[in-house]
Amino acid sequence: MKQMAHFGRDDVSIRMEGERPLGGRIRIQGSKNAALPILAACMLIPGECVLRGCPDISDIECMFNLLESTGAKTSRTADQVKIDTGSVREYRLPEKYVSAMRSSVVLMGAMLGRLGEVHVNYPGGCVIGERPIDLHLYGLEKLGAQIWIDGNHIHAYADELRGATVTFPFPSVGATQNVIMAAVTARGTTVIKNAAKEPEIIELCRFLNMAGADIDYSGTLLKTGRIVIRGVELSRLCGVVYDVIPDRIVAGTYLFAALAAGGEITLENIPIRQLDSICDTIRRMGAMLTVRAAQNEVTINACDRDRIVNVPYIETEVYPDFPTDLQSPLLVAACAAKGKLVVREKIFSSRFRIVEELQRMGADITVEGDTAVVTGGRKLEGRTVIARELRGGAALVIAGLCAAGITTVADSGFIRRGYQDIVGDFTQLGARIGYVG
Ligand code: UD1
């Protein structure tokens, strides 16, 4: 795969003319957060795996680079990728890719299972707040890994991983994924208590079971937060063809875009059962939603602007409640709605970075600690603003679609980490939008 010089910052900006309602239909891309851990899980499988519908985004490219650095072979055709980890040997992951993407840390469990050893640098802090990995390390140590931390470097080693009971104090998505992967070929049975329940966890288990793992999650996970993994021999795992589920966060982003900018749009290929809390919020804010479950389609109608109002309070929470990844798009939709919304961010400490940019566009938002108060109904004005992270960057594009005049969102590389073609999608929905620079 071609190497990217950077993941995030770049010189390309997105420029748009706002105040045009959206209309039309688009197809939702495959899920980034499902595909990334599944690509890491390919490490455990000594044959070739094919992922159909894998999104073409820079975080996936970063994961390919990490896999290739260990000796794996990767290739991409139009909408599928192939990963062959038959010749994996290298246990040291290059710092430039690990630092570029937090989720590279989920390679630890898979590499311990495959090679018995992994060497990574500490991914460190992040613009959306502290993102420690203590729960990842705790889980891997419970399975018998020995871990040394030397400054910025982490070295994990295990002669043999052994099943254990891992009880998480918080249901971390990444830590749950890491322990699942380490447990697949461990000797004996692992029980994860208070595991994360996100759909991406279920997909990882489903993929690994297709490849020959023995993971019991269905029925128990959503009710009890419990996952049971019975270790199997590495040689029992074999390559599979897997279809990546659609991206619930991208679908939610476009629903909030229509809510904010107005108009009527239809989204195809949506994971409707994963969107309950989002659809509920959007309906309560006055838009009409028509769901055609059999076709995996939803239509949002937000044409009648008098009906679009804020709800009093929303807090972000773990699945199935309102996702932190859609908090920024929600803030922008709240700016366009009448009345006041109080948003409490309970997952990541610094996820209000876009507020400053929205204030420069004329938004009435105040932030105190983990809580933002948005007073909607004030017209936003086009400005040059800077995308500093993925979801906040997409939300600034939505703000530009609502604002009077021209908005330029600089550093659009952050948006390419998770959105395959945000400019193409909004163009298809009738927006006047393009790349500059
Ligand atoms: C994943 C998603 C991300 C989403 C997040 C929460 C991927 C690639 N990323 O991130 O888009 O926003 O879930 O739904 O799937 N924590 C600790 N110690 C740890 C690990 C986490 O304290 O060892 C804390 C974090 O600081 C954060 C919270 O737990 O406050 C949630 O993190 P986690 O669930 O681990 O999210 P990620 O897996 O990083």
Side-chain angles (χ1 to χ4, degrees):
M1 303 294 297
K2 78 174 182 308
Q3 305 243 315
M4 281 197 69
H6 40 66
F7 295 90
R9 288 203 65 133
D10 69 10
D11 293 337
V12 180
S13 299
I14 297 176
R15 193 168 188 270
M16 71 219 85
E17 192 186 318
E19 290 192 296
R20 288 166 62 88
L22 300 173
R25 56 167 61 221
I26 48 169
R27 187 177 167 80
I28 298 302
Q29 69 185 60
S31 163
K32 167 177 93 70
N33 288 356
L36 284 172
I38 286 172
L39 286 169
C42 290
M43 267 288 172
L44 281 170
I45 302 166
E48 182 184 87
C49 290
V50 178
L51 269 58
R52 295 192 294 220
C54 187
D56 187 4
I57 52 178
S58 59
D59 270 11
I60 295 287
E61 212 171 303
C62 185
M63 183 57 89
F64 282 155
N65 289 327
L66 283 160
L67 291 170
E68 286 188 352
S69 72
T70 67
K73 294 184 177 58
T74 69
S75 64
R76 174 184 274 284
T77 52
D79 81 331
Q80 70 176 30
V81 296
K82 288 185 182 164
I83 304 95
D84 186 340
T85 63
S87 50
V88 159
R89 299 274 178 277
E90 177 59 62
Y91 65 87
R92 289 164 300 187
L93 293 171
E95 186 160 353
K96 64 174 173 173
Y97 299 127
V98 176
S99 306
M101 185 177 68
R102 281 283 307 180
S103 48
S104 48
V105 77
V106 296
L107 277 162
M108 283 185 81
M111 289 181 72
L112 278 173
R114 178 70 183 273
L115 301 171
E117 191 163 10
V118 57
H119 198 159
V120 293
N121 60 289
Y122 215 90
C126 173
V127 291
I128 63 171
E130 275 306 306
R131 293 179 88 173
I133 58 166
D134 53 317
L135 301 177
H136 299 244
L137 303 184
Y138 152 77
L140 297 175
E141 278 181 329
K142 285 287 273 187
L143 266 66
Q146 295 177 52
I147 297 176
W148 296 270
I149 298 175
D150 177 12
N152 191 32
H153 295 279
I154 305 170
H155 190 179
Y157 174 84
D159 251 344
E160 180 186 72
L161 291 165
R162 293 178 306 276
T165 297
V166 176
T167 306
F168 284 123
F170 174 85
S172 155
V173 174
T176 301
Q177 290 165 341
N178 241 333
V179 171
I180 291 170
M181 289 193 249
V184 164
T185 56
R187 180 187 291 266
T189 299
T190 298
V191 179
I192 307 178
K193 294 184 180 168
N194 200 22
K197 298 174 181 174
E198 270 65 8
E200 295 78 20
I201 299 287
I202 292 179
E203 282 309 294
L204 175 65
C205 295
R206 200 167 69 80
F207 169 81
L208 284 164
N209 278 352
M210 282 167 68
D214 185 353
I215 308 175
D216 188 356
Y217 61 95
S218 55
T220 55
L221 179 58
L222 286 176
K223 275 195 221 107
T224 62
R226 212 174 125 97
I227 301 177
V228 179
I229 305 128
R230 288 174 204 88
V232 297
E233 291 293 323
L234 188 75
S235 57
R236 238 190 78 175
L237 301 177
C238 55
V240 290
V241 177
Y242 165 84
D243 290 304
V244 179
I245 55 168
D247 196 310
R248 63 191 170 100
I249 303 302
V250 171
T253 303
Y254 291 148
L255 289 174
F256 280 115
L259 184 66
E264 179 178 289
I265 66 168
T266 296
L267 306 179
E268 301 168 6
N269 190 38
I270 49 143
I272 191 64
R273 280 193 306 223
Q274 300 168 14
L275 293 173
D276 280 355
S277 66
I278 297 153
C279 288
D280 178 56
T281 303
I282 283 172
R283 283 199 177 98
R284 288 196 295 137
M285 289 177 77
M288 284 187 296
L289 285 178
T290 312
V291 174
R292 285 174 295 282
Q295 283 86 30
N296 288 335
E297 280 186 12
V298 64
T299 299
I300 175 171
N301 182 319
C303 295
D304 183 352
R305 302 309 293 165
D306 289 336
R307 289 177 50 131
I308 306 302
V309 290
N310 275 314
V311 293
Y313 177 76
I314 292 177
E315 60 182 28
T316 62
E317 248 308 352
V318 296
Y319 187 81
D321 291 333
F322 194 90
T324 174
D325 286 356
L326 287 173
Q327 182 254 101
S328 299
L330 168 70
L331 284 187
V332 177
C335 291
K338 290 199 199 88
K340 204 171 261 200
L341 167 68
V342 177
V343 182
R344 182 162 173 229
E345 171 56 60
K346 288 175 71 181
I347 307 294
F348 288 112
S349 54
S350 306
R351 220 169 194 171
F352 289 127
R353 293 278 307 262
I354 67 156
V355 165
E356 218 175 286
E357 301 298 85
L358 292 175
Q359 284 167 339
R360 292 181 48 238
M361 295 176 78
D364 183 347
I365 308 179
T366 54
V367 175
E368 213 173 302
D370 63 3
T371 302
V373 180
V374 186
T375 305
R378 272 174 71 163
K379 190 81 223 152
L380 298 182
E381 298 288 334
R383 291 275 182 280
T384 294
V385 288
I386 301 171
R388 292 196 171 86
E389 40 94 11
L390 164 59
R391 306 298 172 191
L396 289 175
V397 173
I398 302 177
L401 296 175
C402 303
I406 303 289
T407 296
T408 303
V409 179
D411 275 351
S412 69
F414 282 107
I415 302 174
R416 270 279 303 156
R417 295 182 64 156
Y419 296 81
Q420 192 163 286
D421 190 11
I422 202 167
V423 165
D425 286 341
F426 281 127
T427 301
Q428 205 168 317
L429 296 176
R432 290 205 181 123
I433 184 168
Y435 288 108
V436 289

